[in-house]
Amino acid sequence: MPAEYTQSDQFRGARIHLSDLSGLEIRDCDVTGLKIVDCYGGSVSLGGGFERVVVNDVDVTAYVEAELDRLHPNRVLAREATSSAEYRAAWRAIEKQWEETLDRARRLPEAKLHEQVDGEWSFVETQRHLLMASDAWIGNAVLEEDAPYHPLGLPSGWMPAEASARLGLTLDATPTLDEVLAPRLARMTTMRRVVDELTEAELDRVCGRKPADPYPNREYVVRRCLTVVCKEEAEHHRYAVRDLTVLEAGARTE
């Protein structure tokens, strides 16, 4: 069984030399300043949010971002929306994108939608996470609902289990896709109503709440909350279609 290190700082500033790191997986970690020098391997995969990425002394940051934007144009709409009209356009594009992808996912057996590809969230888990994101940033922060969090919501891995429990989340639930989509699609409808009624003045309103208790105490304006939801939708759609391709290939060979 491979060793696993969670919430550890024992590797900060470490120097690993002449070691076998084949199969090493680094997930949900701060890798600022990470250097891989004079190493070799058949295949290396790198993913995440990086300010600058240099490969063999070539800065590939702009190329990677441009290629992602070309392949997934809704990333641009989500990232660059600033006016109420632009948020409406971004959300309509996101809704259309998910409608098509959900139709695609339904063509797979239900069991496939619970499979994880390379340790990533399953398709159903992705829908649960997006439910949680919109519950937090829209239901709680923007709308200040009395009971904003649906129990099937799935938070990011950094949220402590006790904090999730206080929000009423059932992390160990195993719902079907349809069971998740009932509240998920309802929340997407709420988001549509919010952007349809959005005014320029509302964009700069300071929310009366933060998304959830574990989040930092600071000002959260409506504009930021909408951007977070749109970017979450765009990025997780990218992951979902990537993994659906793998699942579809597996289904054809079974």
Side-chain angles (χ1 to χ4, degrees), residues 165-181:
R166 285 196 296 271
L167 298 179
L169 307 180
T170 54
L171 303 186
D172 58 352
T174 56
T176 65
L177 176 63
D178 285 340
E179 287 171 339
V180 175
L181 286 183

Side-chain angles (χ1 to χ4, degrees), residues 145-164:
E145 295 174 350
D146 291 336
Y149 307 106
H150 192 280
L152 292 181
L154 185 65
S156 298
W158 59 262
M159 184 177 287
E162 57 272 20
S164 298

Side-chain angles (χ1 to χ4, degrees), residues 27-89:
R27 184 179 292 270
D28 296 329
C29 295
D30 181 354
V31 294
T32 302
L34 173 69
K35 291 183 180 180
I36 302 176
V37 182
D38 293 335
C39 293
Y40 54 90
S43 177
V44 176
S45 177
L46 180 67
F50 305 108
E51 292 181 7
R52 184 166 180 258
V53 179
V54 178
V55 179
N56 287 337
D57 301 321
V58 177
D59 189 333
V60 300
T61 314
Y63 166 75
V64 172
E65 284 300 303
E67 186 66 6
L68 285 173
D69 287 348
R70 182 185 69 82
L71 294 171
H72 307 280
N74 282 355
R75 296 178 81 242
V76 182
L77 295 177
R79 184 177 67 241
E80 296 185 356
T82 57
S83 68
S84 56
E86 288 169 341
Y87 279 109
R88 282 191 282 275

